[in-house]
Amino acid sequence: MSYFNRASKAIQVANRIYRFSLNHHYNLGLPYFASNEHGFCSNSRNSNRRDDNNVIDLSQYPTDKIRNFSIIAHVDHGKSTLADRLLELTGTIKRGHGQPQYLDKLQVERERGITVKAQTATMFYNYELEDSNTSYLLNLVDTPGHVDFSYEVSRSLAACQGALLVVDAAQGVQAQTVANFYLAFESNLAIIPVINKIDQPTADPDRVKAQLKSMFDLDTSDVLLTSAKTGQGLEHVLPAVIERIPPPPGKSDSNLRMFLLDSYYDEYKGVICHVAVVDGCLRKGDKITSAATSQSYEVLDVGIMHPELRPTGFLLTGQVGYMVSGMRSTKEARVGDTLFHSRTTVEPLPGFKPAKHMVFSGLYPADGSDFEGLNHAIERLTCNDASVSVARESSTALGLGFRCGFLGLLHMDVFHQRLEQEYGTHIISTVPTVPYIFEYSDGSKVEVQNPAAFTANPKIRVVASWEPTVLATIIIPSEYVGAVINLCSERRGEQIEYSFIDTQRAFMKYRLPLREIVVDFYNELKSITSGYASFDYEDSEYVASDVVKLDILLNGQPVDAMATIVHKLKAQRVGRELVEKLKKYIDRQMFEITIQAAIDSKVIARETISAMRKNVLAKCYGGDVTRKKKLLEKQKEGKKRMKRVGSVDIPQEAFHAILKVS
Amino acid sequence: MTCECAGIERKKADCERVEGANNLINVFGFFDRGDDFADCIEYFTISALFSFVFLLCFFAAVHETSEDDPRISNYIQILIREIEATQTHFDQHPPLQTIFFGGGTPSLVPPRLVAKVLETLRSKFGLCLDAEISMEMDPGTFDAKKLKELMGLGVNRVSLGVQAFQEELLKACGRAHGLEEVHEAIEIVGSCGVENWSMDLISSLPNQTQEMWEESLRLTIEAKPTHVSVYDLQIEKDTKFGSLYTPGEFPLPSDTQSAKFYRMASRKLAEANYNHYEVSSYSKNGFECKHNYTYWINKPFYAFGLGSASYINGTRYSRPKKLKDYTTYVQNLEGGLVDIQEDDVDEGEMAMDIVMLSLRTSKGLELKSFREDFGSAVAVELCKVYEPYMKSGHVAFLDYRRREITEDEFSSLVLDDEKLENEIGFIRLSDPDGFLLSNELISLAFGVMDP
């Protein structure tokens, strides 16, 4: 979706400037751990005071010397940079040596400035209090920030006792700040508000403080003011973590219970799980069982992320690290699962839910013959992202492909991008759809994830239909309120709440059909608010809705991959937009082509592309033969890349273009 | 391409080998094919076009004062060296049947130099008594005396590069000749008694209107040539011409308009008893250009001269387009350093050549010999891929007696592959609908042959 792209572009620019300033102007100016910074290289073991002999003894850290926390923020408010600074401050990475956004390992994360996969990092910190000097073990659990991953976020937060709520000093509270605050609040986390980027000329910390007070009832005297860029105020962050966040509450004398935070697939080691030990202790060689799958494994390796894999042989109560077991695929590693010692019985930790797929789209190889290539890429990628559901499907227009279910839009977009970036595949994606529920006259109900598969059965009537909705949070400068209300009502939204954060910013809550925000809502919102709107949403209930299937026909033949389900009131407009778009992208062919949009068999929009007039080369003598043949072969190759329905050749761009029609 | 290579000096000699029943007959065409004005646009760039025109004017001036421009004689010298250095690869050298002087303006070459070239060819390869010897001639570059001299040397077919009958179009497309020269040239060709001559026209020129095209066709028919070539202007991308004009956009006629021009030519010339025997070629009965026809039935031919292309033993070879490179090439040829006559003929390539070339003719693709050479499977697939286009009127299937097979007949044939290949004698594109979309249709066939 282009709106994410747009956001990511801005972030890239910001990062570039930032890196520059890092090298030239950054001066931490802190007494803390200058002596710790020696010999770090991102691939080798870093050294610091506690592991001069390359051995880390975790037994020095009972739960009262442990703090587990995460950083939550709206996109681009400085979460990753703050994390970098904390890792540098503690000597976990050497300043200026690790790549910026250290914990965002995927290319897509770095490009877009978002976090998709949870990561953990263990830091050691000497806390000086009244002359005594105590070493603390700090675990930073980096969580995805986007609502698509709200389940993953809630699981990550469940492993923490506190969170740094980072807010940009100029932008103030934004939609994702609100969403993340409530997630943290519901997890009973101690919240340390941090107003970041106070070095900006437009910074207005007092206004942001007032917002935090009015929105979240946070005490303004608790707020830390920082600039991760200049280092200002950073010295107060880790002491605050130790003082204000409680130690993990687990019982070290109980049976082992640990949370599975996330997992990834490593070429050499296999599945690596990020885990948090809640109770008891985990040792290498232990036999463990999953509460979700009942499968048992042997622990082959265990350790901490410091910042890369660092074997320790065990993890004690309250500690966070990694574990390698014999899991063959990340599909076995369910986020939020409870793992325990095989012979014991424990109460599983609360909150485990299987992934819920909200957005579906068909993925097909752009080159129809490369199904195997796509298959392979999807298999490999789902090794690393088990939250995607994959089922084979086939389309008359696009051939063999897959119907994939995603947690949300960003998730879908990230999956597409990773397929292209990490596996070099070229795909055609069908218009994303949401799962609708239809009820027939005989009382049966079906969930439809693929519009093409939903065929009207003349014997049984559809008597009712439901569509999923979301609760959207929109925060905007007050002058844009009118435009945003218009947009939301055009998108069939229902206003739930409308208030003001302060004199300049309005806060609105809408119930919107998910279908209406799937394609270009955020783009549109950004454009009508000159980029000032922030937007977030959470899943809400299904509501009854009068939806119909809209078919696209080329010369009378339905194109399955272009069918969509739309609200009856919008069908006419969407149908017209689709046929107009297609007319632009389908080239003249030897026949006249009619493009129609139809509901059931009733045509609601129609365009024609007149037949090609001429395509002929006048001359073909001695020297022309080779040249002409090359030209015709090129033309043949062009045809091969097209998708064919009946006698009509459809260029790939046509499929991409209709994605943009709402 | 530099100025030197512009058409004027380009001479090619093509030689063709026709395979008879059990013995080989060599038919040679000495020619510098087709690089007249339109070709220059097509092949090279507008820079070539302008430099070409510049040279043309220059030579035109020279022509009036001196017959011995050293650049022409030097070039002919190299050309003759190439002919002499060429290995014939045949045990015997049966006489040449066609010769074509084309490219640029061969009519600027002094007849005595033409005589030298012909003499070299005759002594190297022999020349049939009734050989077709064609020359491209541009209005304003020859008079009756010169034409008579050339005819005395054996030139018996003239391809007259008229292009248009409107002063403004001639000027706009950079021709050196004006309307007056056009009428003069037609007059000369008539008075000299050339029995076989072709009028070359270009359609879809910038600012050309339907009335102008109608007029050109009418005047052409009135001049009574035995052959007419109608070239639809081709604009190549990445050329200056291509950057000046976009095909289908003003001042060029729209696609619809230029398709109309094509249809009009097809209709008017048919009414005047010309056969539309190839996409761009029309002739009176028995006056098809024998030389060009050899290309279209995929027979081998020799070629000599700057940028010319030969086709021998299944290998196409294009000579360098720059005079300097060409000179080096001839030197290497003399030193025995060039070996262009290779024997690895790719069957698939050959099949594609045959389909492409024969579908451009009104005779069409002869299915029986194609099947014998390349197999039944491909032949059957070809028929099948064209089925929808038979229904749309772009393609016709003929039986062995060249009777058109009806849709109903085809529907029953298509059920049985064996019947299909046995009953269908020819596949041809319809005139004008099929010809107009020949690129589309041929690339469909390519898709079947080389998926």
Side-chain angles (χ1 to χ4, degrees):
Chain A
M1 285 326 76
S2 48
Y3 70 80
F4 296 119
N5 290 334
R6 190 190 291 188
S8 72
K9 256 178 219 149
I11 291 158
Q12 277 173 37
V13 171
N15 286 338
R16 206 168 302 134
I17 295 164
Y18 201 72
R19 206 169 305 154
F20 178 77
S21 51
L22 245 180
N23 293 336
H24 294 85
H25 310 298
Y26 182 71
N27 182 355
L28 200 57
L30 294 174
Y32 275 129
F33 300 105
S35 62
N36 285 346
E37 295 171 4
H38 47 90
F40 173 75
C41 152
S42 62
N43 292 326
S44 66
R45 305 285 179 238
N46 70 320
S47 46
N48 81 27
R49 200 173 287 166
R50 266 154 306 279
D51 46 287
D52 279 342
N53 300 327
N54 228 2
V55 173
I56 295 173
D57 182 8
L58 291 180
S59 60
Q60 290 179 33
Y61 300 97
T63 53
D64 65 321
K65 297 284 184 296
I66 300 174
R67 297 292 183 273
N68 296 330
F69 69 103
S70 74
I71 307 177
I72 53 182
H74 190 74
V75 64
D76 208 21
H77 280 197
K79 182 179 87 153
S80 297
T81 316
L82 182 62
D84 286 353
R85 292 296 90 77
L86 296 180
L87 292 173
E88 285 167 12
L89 263 172
T90 54
T92 313
I93 60 174
K94 195 177 177 189
R95 172 151 48 97
H97 280 230
Q99 42 184 348
Q101 294 174 253
Y102 188 84
L103 294 175
D104 293 335
K105 313 232 174 206
L106 301 175
Q107 188 184 348
V108 54
E109 294 181 314
R110 310 176 67 80
E111 280 182 13
R112 294 171 174 233
I114 55 171
T115 303
V116 173
K117 301 280 288 178
Q119 286 285 341
T120 70
T122 300
M123 302 175 281
F124 299 97
Y125 178 67
N126 276 338
Y127 177 55
E128 293 176 56
L129 185 66
E130 293 159 8
D131 296 337
S132 73
N133 189 330
T134 318
S135 177
Y136 278 82
L137 180 76
L138 306 181
N139 291 305
L140 170 59
V141 179
D142 191 27
T143 70
H146 194 271
V147 65
D148 280 7
F149 308 103
S150 60
Y151 170 68
E152 284 74 2
V153 181
S154 75
R155 294 307 83 208
S156 294
L157 294 181
C160 300
Q161 287 72 46
L164 300 173
L165 177 69
V166 177
V167 186
D168 183 299
Q171 292 185 21
V173 170
Q174 296 293 336
Q176 213 171 304
T177 321
V178 179
N180 284 324
F181 170 81
Y182 282 109
L183 280 174
F185 188 73
E186 282 158 18
S187 305
N188 285 317
L189 300 197
I191 290 166
I192 302 174
V194 178
I195 297 177
N196 191 28
K197 304 195 186 181
I198 53 168
D199 59 304
Q200 298 173 98
T202 52
D204 188 355
D206 289 337
R207 188 170 68 91
V208 181
K209 274 186 193 170
Q211 287 177 355
L212 290 171
K213 173 76 185 151
S214 72
M215 295 286 293
F216 309 131
D217 201 23
L218 290 170
D219 194 334
T220 49
S221 61
D222 288 344
V223 175
L224 301 180
L225 300 180
T226 63
S227 163
K229 182 173 160 188
T230 65
Q232 192 185 349
L234 287 186
E235 68 274 22
H236 303 302
V237 174
L238 291 177
V241 166
I242 288 165
E243 287 159 17
R244 298 199 219 160
I245 294 175
K251 301 182 200 74
S252 51
D253 51 358
S254 297
N255 284 331
L256 169 74
R257 285 200 301 174
M258 66 179 171
F259 245 137
L260 204 161
L261 297 172
D262 207 342
S263 63
Y264 66 99
Y265 189 81
D266 180 276
E267 291 280 332
Y268 304 103
K269 292 193 162 64
V271 176
I272 296 175
C273 300
H274 294 297
V275 293
V277 177
V278 176
D279 294 316
C281 115
L282 173 75
R283 285 172 199 283
K284 186 175 171 177
D286 284 356
K287 296 266 191 302
I288 54 159
T289 301
S290 148
T293 66
S294 305
Q295 294 217 55
S296 295
Y297 307 93
E298 184 180 339
V299 178
L300 305 173
D301 185 17
V302 60
I304 55 173
M305 301 299 291
H306 184 61
E308 300 298 329
L309 301 180
R310 188 72 177 267
T312 56
F314 59 89
L315 284 174
L316 301 178
T317 306
Q319 293 173 350
V320 174
Y322 75 91
M323 172 197 81
V324 179
S325 65
M327 287 184 189
R328 278 183 305 278
S329 144
T330 53
K331 283 175 190 142
E332 297 171 42
R334 309 277 175 86
V335 172
D337 193 4
T338 304
L339 300 168
F340 55 95
H341 279 140
S342 294
R343 294 170 313 279
T344 62
T345 350
V346 298
E347 180 71 16
L349 295 158
F352 174 76
K353 277 190 281 184
K356 185 170 149 208
H357 300 111
M358 292 314 293
V359 178
F360 293 85
S361 83
L363 295 188
Y364 292 84
D367 172 1
S369 59
D370 197 25
F371 174 75
E372 278 312 312
L374 179 62
N375 187 18
H376 177 73
I378 287 183
E379 248 171 40
R380 296 277 302 271
L381 186 51
T382 49
C383 264
N384 243 327
D385 185 356
S387 51
V388 178
S389 74
V390 179
R392 288 194 179 204
E393 71 172 11
S394 73
S395 144
T396 49
L398 300 173
L400 283 177
F402 299 92
R403 177 127 301 244
C404 297
F406 302 97
L407 303 173
L409 298 174
L410 178 78
H411 185 216
M412 175 177 79
D413 205 35
V414 163
F415 191 80
H416 289 179
Q417 194 178 342
R418 290 185 69 186
L419 270 179
E420 302 223 334
Q421 281 181 347
E422 295 172 34
Y423 298 93
T425 51
H426 297 286
I427 52 168
I428 294 181
S429 161
T430 62
V431 180
T433 182
V434 301
Y436 293 94
I437 294 172
F438 289 92
E439 185 181 331
Y440 293 102
S441 52
D442 64 356
S444 64
K445 282 186 185 175
V446 287
E447 188 186 280
V448 173
Q449 299 171 354
N450 179 0
F454 174 59
T455 43
N457 186 337
K459 284 180 194 151
I460 336 174
R461 220 159 28 88
V462 171
V463 290
S465 45
W466 289 267
E467 65 177 333
T469 62
V470 298
L471 275 179
T473 303
I474 300 167
I475 296 178
I476 38 167
S478 34
E479 64 260 40
Y480 298 112
V481 162
V484 171
I485 287 175
N486 272 345
L487 175 68
C488 289
S489 66
E490 188 194 303
R491 300 300 175 106
R492 300 188 282 130
E494 175 200 344
Q495 197 178 75
I496 309 282
E497 196 182 330
Y498 175 20
S499 60
F500 285 87
I501 297 178
D502 55 27
T503 52
Q504 293 153 34
R505 302 188 79 81
F507 171 95
M508 295 197 282
K509 256 189 176 323
Y510 267 88
R511 183 190 307 286
L512 284 158
L514 180 58
R515 169 68 169 83
E516 296 290 337
I517 61 165
V518 161
V519 180
D520 62 346
F521 180 79
Y522 190 63
N523 247 350
E524 197 61 13
L525 183 66
K526 281 270 183 190
S527 95
I528 61 170
T529 60
S530 314
Y532 284 114
S534 77
F535 168 68
D536 203 348
Y537 64 89
E538 57 187 291
D539 296 340
S540 186
E541 69 240 30
Y542 272 76
V543 300
S545 174
D546 200 358
V547 293
V548 291
K549 182 186 176 193
L550 184 65
D551 281 309
I552 295 294
L553 298 96
L554 293 178
N555 279 354
Q557 290 242 33
V559 185
D560 53 5
M562 291 183 180
T564 68
I565 291 172
V566 290
H567 193 267
K568 207 168 191 172
L569 294 174
K570 295 198 144 187
Q572 181 83 32
R573 205 188 73 198
V574 172
R576 215 169 27 239
E577 276 180 42
L578 282 173
V579 297
E580 278 165 17
K581 205 65 159 242
L582 285 172
K583 183 175 180 172
K584 261 188 225 155
Y585 281 88
I586 296 178
D587 292 328
R588 282 183 169 194
Q589 285 164 38
M590 291 177 60
F591 307 96
E592 181 180 88
I593 301 166
T594 58
I595 309 169
Q596 295 166 312
I599 298 168
D600 292 329
S601 48
K602 197 176 135 239
V603 175
I604 57 164
R606 177 196 161 104
E607 288 282 349
T608 56
I609 300 173
S610 57
M612 181 189 287
R613 302 294 181 209
K614 66 157 198 174
N615 185 1
V616 53
L617 276 185
K619 295 194 163 188
C620 194
Y621 304 111
D624 311 276
V625 175
T626 314
R627 204 176 59 97
K628 181 166 164 61
K629 194 163 73 180
K630 274 192 194 136
L631 191 122
L632 293 180
E633 274 172 16
K634 214 168 119 194
Q635 194 169 334
K636 178 202 82 180
E637 291 303 318
K639 274 201 214 297
K640 218 163 79 179
R641 279 194 298 276
M642 303 243 203
K643 305 298 171 190
R644 183 163 258 250
V645 172
S647 57
V648 182
D649 289 323
I650 312 167
Q652 287 175 23
E653 296 73 50
F655 290 93
H656 295 305
I658 60 169
L659 293 184
K660 295 182 187 114
V661 176
S662 55
Chain B
M1 132 130 198
T2 63
C3 304
E4 300 101 86
C5 96
I8 295 218
E9 296 186 4
R10 299 183 58 199
K11 290 285 152 213
K12 298 176 209 163
D14 276 21
C15 159
E16 158 189 323
R17 190 187 71 175
V18 174
E19 293 184 21
N22 278 321
N23 59 340
L24 299 172
I25 307 165
N26 291 349
V27 181
F28 284 85
F30 170 90
F31 88 123
D32 181 354
R33 212 234 33 68
D35 286 294
D36 57 14
F37 168 70
D39 258 31
C40 279
I41 298 171
E42 193 179 325
Y43 272 20
F44 306 117
T45 62
I46 191 131
S47 65
L49 169 68
F50 287 145
S51 52
F52 166 75
V53 169
F54 164 73
L55 271 181
L56 183 73
C57 300
F58 176 72
F59 276 114
V62 168
H63 167 70
E64 312 214 329
T65 54
S66 153
E67 287 237 310
D68 267 345
D69 185 281
R71 284 190 278 176
I72 294 185
S73 47
N74 288 346
Y75 174 68
I76 297 295
Q77 203 55 48
I78 302 168
L79 179 74
I80 287 171
R81 279 167 55 200
E82 191 199 353
I83 298 171
E84 284 177 336
T86 298
Q87 290 199 350
T88 56
H89 276 257
F90 305 115
D91 299 336
Q92 301 164 333
H93 302 292
L96 308 179
Q97 289 191 341
T98 70
I99 292 176
F100 197 105
F101 290 89
T105 315
S107 46
L108 281 176
V109 180
R112 59 172 188 82
L113 292 180
V114 175
K116 266 192 180 174
V117 173
L118 279 172
E119 194 41 55
T120 312
L121 287 170
R122 201 190 316 264
S123 62
K124 179 98 182 171
F125 304 107
L127 189 58
C128 276
L129 283 176
D130 61 345
E132 175 190 280
I133 302 177
S134 310
M135 183 177 279
E136 288 186 346
M137 306 192 79
D138 281 355
T141 63
F142 64 97
D143 51 20
K145 178 174 164 273
K146 186 170 191 176
L147 182 53
K148 284 234 164 86
E149 264 182 79
L150 289 169
M151 286 169 74
L153 296 172
V155 173
N156 52 21
R157 186 175 181 276
V158 168
S159 183
L160 193 61
V162 169
Q163 321 307 2
F165 281 92
Q166 293 76 29
E167 199 75 68
E168 62 268 43
L169 291 190
L170 289 171
K171 209 166 273 170
C173 67
R175 298 309 294 186
H177 63 258
L179 194 51
E180 201 177 320
E181 278 96 345
V182 166
H183 289 301
E184 262 173 38
I186 292 172
E187 176 71 33
I188 296 169
V189 170
S191 69
C192 290
V194 182
E195 279 174 19
N196 186 1
W197 69 284
S198 175
M199 175 94 83
D200 295 351
L201 297 177
I202 301 181
S203 66
S204 305
L205 285 166
N207 297 309
Q208 193 171 32
T209 64
Q210 188 156 333
E211 291 69 33
M212 292 178 188
W213 184 235
E214 233 172 320
E215 181 184 46
S216 287
L217 287 170
R218 182 170 54 78
L219 292 170
T220 298
I221 291 165
E222 281 173 11
K224 295 195 173 63
T226 48
H227 187 281
V228 182
S229 294
V230 178
Y231 300 123
D232 184 55
L233 182 71
Q234 306 281 336
I235 308 282
E236 297 288 300
K237 278 180 192 159
D238 309 320
T239 65
K240 232 180 194 175
F241 208 93
S243 69
L244 280 178
Y245 300 117
T246 309
E249 284 181 19
F250 186 82
L252 293 176
S254 66
D255 271 8
T256 309
Q257 189 65 22
S258 61
K260 245 186 204 167
F261 289 170
Y262 188 91
R263 288 170 194 280
M264 186 193 286
S266 173
R267 194 182 68 242
K268 296 259 177 200
L269 291 169
E271 282 166 11
N273 283 322
Y274 288 90
N275 304 320
H276 194 177
Y277 72 101
E278 192 260 354
V279 167
S280 306
S281 311
Y282 299 81
S283 78
K284 296 277 190 188
N285 274 337
F287 286 95
E288 292 84 8
C289 177
K290 282 189 216 155
H291 185 85
N292 287 345
Y293 218 86
T294 58
Y295 300 128
W296 303 330
I297 54 178
N298 207 44
K299 296 299 179 190
F301 49 86
Y302 280 133
F304 307 104
L306 204 60
S308 67
S310 58
Y311 179 54
I312 291 162
N313 291 350
T315 304
R316 293 186 191 279
Y317 181 80
S318 287
R319 276 139 203 80
K321 288 177 179 165
K322 291 187 179 174
L323 185 59
K324 209 178 126 204
D325 300 341
Y326 172 65
T327 311
T328 314
Y329 159 78
V330 172
Q331 274 162 9
N332 290 339
L333 193 68
E334 288 169 329
L337 300 172
V338 180
D339 181 22
I340 58 168
Q341 275 111 25
E342 288 167 29
D343 262 324
D344 53 337
V345 182
D346 183 319
E347 195 175 89
E349 295 288 311
M350 180 90 86
M352 277 154 85
D353 281 3
I354 288 176
V355 165
M356 176 177 87
L357 295 168
S358 60
L359 285 180
R360 289 174 56 89
T361 66
S362 62
K363 184 182 175 212
L365 177 69
E366 202 183 335
L367 211 61
K368 183 162 175 269
S369 60
F370 184 80
R371 201 181 65 208
E372 284 164 3
D373 289 342
F374 306 106
S376 295
V378 179
V380 166
E381 282 306 304
L382 272 182
C383 294
K384 286 185 179 166
V385 78
Y386 283 140
E387 185 178 2
Y389 303 95
M390 175 203 201
K391 290 176 181 158
S392 63
H394 293 97
V395 174
F397 294 98
L398 311 178
D399 68 12
Y400 286 102
R401 289 180 302 278
R402 294 195 69 79
R403 183 188 63 85
E404 196 167 329
I405 291 167
T406 65
E407 252 185 77
D408 290 343
E409 286 168 340
F410 190 88
S411 310
S412 72
L413 289 179
V414 86
L415 302 172
D416 182 347
D417 286 359
E418 213 168 301
K419 260 191 182 167
L420 193 69
E421 57 176 294
N422 285 329
E423 296 288 320
I424 293 176
F426 299 88
I427 305 176
R428 71 171 179 84
L429 307 189
S430 63
D431 171 20
D433 292 343
F435 279 160
L436 265 170
L437 295 174
S438 51
N439 284 355
E440 291 289 316
L441 291 160
I442 294 166
S443 61
L444 272 176
F446 281 12
V448 168
M449 298 161 74
D450 177 27

